[in-house]
């Protein structure tokens, strides 16, 4: 599904406008991004955990010219779903 389809579905379920739905979803996503940037883990109950991990630099060797240099630090974001979410997905797939 694309974002527009999510907006349509959620606005119908809640009986609110797509504009308001879009504002709420964007505010939630902005808040989630901000929390992940500031903290190492963000836990959303019954959904899962977003975890930010710093990947340290490693020495890299160039096979072309034999030069060695260090790669830069970077962050990796991982997601681990909760047991409730995983059970929900499994049940939905088993009922097909």
């Amino acid at each position: 599904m694309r974002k527009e389809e999510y907006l349509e579905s959620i606005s119908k379920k809640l009986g609110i406008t797509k504009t308001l739905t879009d504002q709420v979803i964007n505010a939630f996503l902005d808040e989630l991004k901000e929390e992940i940037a500031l903290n190492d883990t963000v836990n959303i109950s019954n959904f899962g955990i977003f975890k930010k991990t710093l990947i340290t630099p490693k020495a890299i060797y160039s096979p072309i010219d034999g030069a060695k240099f260090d790669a830069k630090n970077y962050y990796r974001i991982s997601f681990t779903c909760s047991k409730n979410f995983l059970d929900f997905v499994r049940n939905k797939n088993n009922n097909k």
Side-chain angles (χ1 to χ4, degrees):
M1 284 177 74
R2 294 185 345 241
K3 184 178 180 183
E4 187 66 29
E5 295 167 319
Y6 285 112
L7 292 176
E8 183 73 31
S9 175
I10 293 169
S11 66
K12 281 183 181 178
K13 284 180 184 177
L14 297 178
I16 58 176
T17 65
K18 284 176 31 177
T19 303
L20 180 57
T21 304
D22 188 39
Q23 292 172 348
V24 170
I25 288 174
N26 286 335
F28 171 75
L29 293 175
D30 289 344
E31 190 68 25
L32 181 62
K33 288 187 282 188
E34 188 68 28
E35 284 298 313
I36 291 171
L38 295 174
N39 300 301
D40 290 335
T41 60
V42 175
N43 185 355
I44 301 175
S45 298
N46 295 321
F47 186 71
I49 298 171
F50 292 91
K51 184 175 180 182
K52 177 179 70 175
T53 305
L54 178 64
I55 305 301
T56 56
K58 296 179 176 76
I60 297 175
Y61 168 78
S62 172
I64 296 171
D65 61 6
K68 293 181 182 179
F69 57 95
D70 288 331
K72 295 181 180 179
N73 287 345
Y74 66 94
Y75 286 98
R76 177 178 295 146
I77 308 297
S78 62
F79 175 75
T80 304
C81 64
S82 70
K83 182 181 181 325
N84 290 345
F85 182 63
L86 185 58
D87 289 344
F88 175 80
V89 171
R90 286 179 178 155
N91 289 334
K92 283 284 189 179
N93 287 328
N94 288 337
N95 293 332
K96 286 185 177 181

